[in-house]
Amino acid sequence: KVSATLPAFDIAVKPQVIGSAELYWSVPTLNEDGSALTNLAGYKIRYGSSYGALNQLVDVPNPGTISAVIEGLAAGTWYFTVASYTNTGVESAPTGAVSKTIQ
């Protein structure tokens, strides 16, 4: 039987990192064809842990809103896009993706 004596040491357990991302955008005023946008109903924020898998969705059903906070994000890089939609359900093309790294 072999044994060893070690000096005292501490063990610390790091809590899981949970973060948030705050997104801002401008209210659109024109449709993609250049005509006035008169029936804006809200925004859809899509996000995920890779640009190719934006599989989370937050609906912002208020056309006057220009920001949102996405909470509960685990450590890693997250990608986000925003699209607007009308009261008839027509959705715009999404913005280009932006990212945030939670450490």
Side-chain angles (χ1 to χ4, degrees):
K1 176 177 176 181
V2 177
S3 65
T5 302
L6 300 173
F9 61 94
D10 293 326
I11 296 176
V13 178
K14 286 185 168 184
Q16 181 181 6
V17 175
I18 301 293
S20 63
E22 190 164 5
L23 305 170
Y24 295 91
W25 57 86
S26 298
V27 175
T29 58
L30 299 174
N31 290 304
E32 291 178 6
D33 66 2
S35 62
L37 176 59
T38 59
N39 60 347
L40 180 64
Y43 307 92
K44 292 186 180 180
I45 300 169
R46 289 184 172 80
Y47 67 99
S49 57
S50 76
Y51 181 69
L54 303 177
N55 54 9
Q56 303 289 322
L57 174 68
V58 173
D59 184 24
V60 181
N62 181 343
T65 299
I66 59 166
S67 67
V69 177
I70 309 299
E71 298 179 321
L73 301 173
T77 300
W78 292 86
Y79 298 85
F80 306 86
T81 64
V82 178
S84 59
Y85 63 89
T86 67
N87 61 12
T88 59
V90 175
E91 188 173 326
S92 73
T95 61
V98 295
S99 65
K100 180 176 183 181
T101 299
I102 307 296
Q103 299 199 13

